[in-house]
Amino acid sequence: MSIDTENKEFYPNIVGFTCNWCSYTGADLAGVSRMKYKPNVKVIRVPCSGRVNPAFVLRAFQKGADGVLVSG
Amino acid sequence: MLKRLLEYVGFEPGRLTARWISASEGAKFASTMDEVTDKIKSLGPNTKMRDEIL
Amino acid sequence: MMNLTKQIREQAKKLLEEKKVDLVIGFGQGTELARTTPVFIDSPEGVSALTWGPFCANNLAKYLVDYKNAPGNVAIVVKGCDSRSVIRLLDDNQISRDKIVVIGVPCAGQLEWQKVADEVKPDATLKETVDNGDSFVVKTSTGDHTFNKKDYMLHRCLVCENPNPVIADFTIGEELPVKNYAERFAEVEELEQLGLEEKSAYWDKQFSRCLRCYACRNVCSVCTCELCVFDQMKPMWVSKRTNLSENTVFHITRAFHVAGRCVDCGECDRVCPMDIPIRKLNQKIHKDLKDLFDSPTPGSKEGLLSALGEFSLGDPEEFM
């Protein structure tokens, strides 16, 4: 199997911090409703969006995220 | 506030997004995913503050 | 200035003799003419070590934290900006009000010691300093020097908000009018005007110099966590490596951690051995807090809640 790196389109890595009770459930609903959306957002479940520390965001950028989404 | 500070030290605005999505808004979740992905795609890869030694 | 020094000494002596306090924290003459050192006095005979002048830049309020569990009361000599730190520490429940005695001194501004040291002969000894409104006259054993406040003062003093202590049990000398020599956020606005690339390059240049000596953290009067996130090993949010990436994280985290509590005393800037303009980060937050929540400088009033620590329905939500 070979990967064509030359023509590969930029695939952004986005980290999404989602609240267990809001967005994570919202994402679940989007899933069971069989909606289509882009797969770039890597969802991380947090107990509440208030759990998200600025350090999480910085750490995500540091370790390779191209974008960060905080939703609650 | 963190967004403003990140822009101040040279991050592109839009790298960090905050949204309110309730549990009943599956469609909003899907549209937000698309919106954010498109925005980051247009910004290109993040180079600032990347930890090279992994 | 000699008069003020005398009054501070008398006040300290009185407090110690009456056993109202067990310790007085104040400014003492340093080894160099233009520098002062913190002095800790526990007997009435020692008060002659206290001094006052345009070289008392240190913020002594941080030392109060060291004595919060010690028996006995502590008196502290504060300037206007330091008094904001004292209020902040009280509001954070770091110290109790009945354990401290605040000796407030209205401050006419502090000179940047490097600039003064450049002009005064190294072997000179300080005789007297006189405040002439817009300048200080420093009388030394090798002649008199005049320093214009506009050119020789620390930047934080040019934009001083509280020359008079906002909290004080005793005020030494007369209250001074607020006098600003520069626009408070002029430097921040200048930097905001720059393009993205330029901003990024500017801060990369600053942050890459950082030695991670943590002097800015240690001197900060609102950094009172018992276990600092930068010392924490498990989980290790910020690694110990000194590179641009980690340094950027360190500085942003530090600035954001004190957001809404930073009293803008400018100590972080002053102590930085690499001259990183750390205060510009804090000032940016101050500016945004002012723009968004119209909040006054933390510590400028007693019982003020931190802008980021309270919520009201009218708060702007620019991220929605």
Side-chain angles (χ1 to χ4, degrees), chain C residues 210-218 242 250-251 271-274:
Chain C
C210 180
L211 303 167
R212 297 280 284 284
C213 65
Y214 299 131
C216 46
R217 177 196 69 183
N218 292 349
T242 312
F250 166 65
H251 281 284
V271 298
C272 183
M274 301 309 284

Side-chain angles (χ1 to χ4, degrees), chain C residues 93-210:
Chain C
N93 290 327
Q94 287 295 330
I95 44 177
S96 61
R97 184 67 185 92
D98 47 358
K99 274 197 76 169
I100 57 163
V101 175
V102 182
I103 305 172
V105 191
C107 164
Q110 299 296 328
L111 296 171
E112 221 168 300
W113 76 269
Q114 289 101 329
K115 286 186 183 169
V116 173
D118 283 348
E119 305 212 356
V120 179
K121 285 192 181 135
D123 58 341
T125 50
L126 189 65
K127 275 190 189 157
E128 200 188 347
T129 50
V130 184
D131 176 20
N132 279 347
D134 279 327
S135 63
F136 282 112
V137 179
V138 178
K139 293 181 180 164
T140 70
S141 56
T142 54
D144 295 356
H145 300 265
T146 306
F147 297 105
N148 277 329
K149 285 191 182 174
K150 205 174 180 331
D151 304 322
Y152 287 93
M153 235 163 30
L154 290 165
H155 177 262
R156 61 164 175 202
C157 298
L158 294 174
V159 298
C160 180
E161 273 187 297
N162 303 101
N164 305 308
V166 281
I167 180 172
D169 295 314
F170 305 99
T171 309
I172 307 288
E174 283 168 25
E175 299 219 335
L176 295 164
V178 181
K179 205 169 185 182
N180 287 353
Y181 294 85
E183 196 61 48
R184 182 153 178 231
F185 296 121
E187 287 183 341
V188 176
E189 273 159 16
E190 207 174 288
L191 208 56
E192 278 174 348
Q193 299 304 319
L194 295 178
L196 211 64
E197 301 279 297
E198 289 168 297
K199 264 192 252 178
S200 182
Y202 173 83
W203 285 111
D204 281 357
K205 199 178 137 202
Q206 307 294 348
F207 291 152
S208 57
R209 288 208 305 271
C210 180

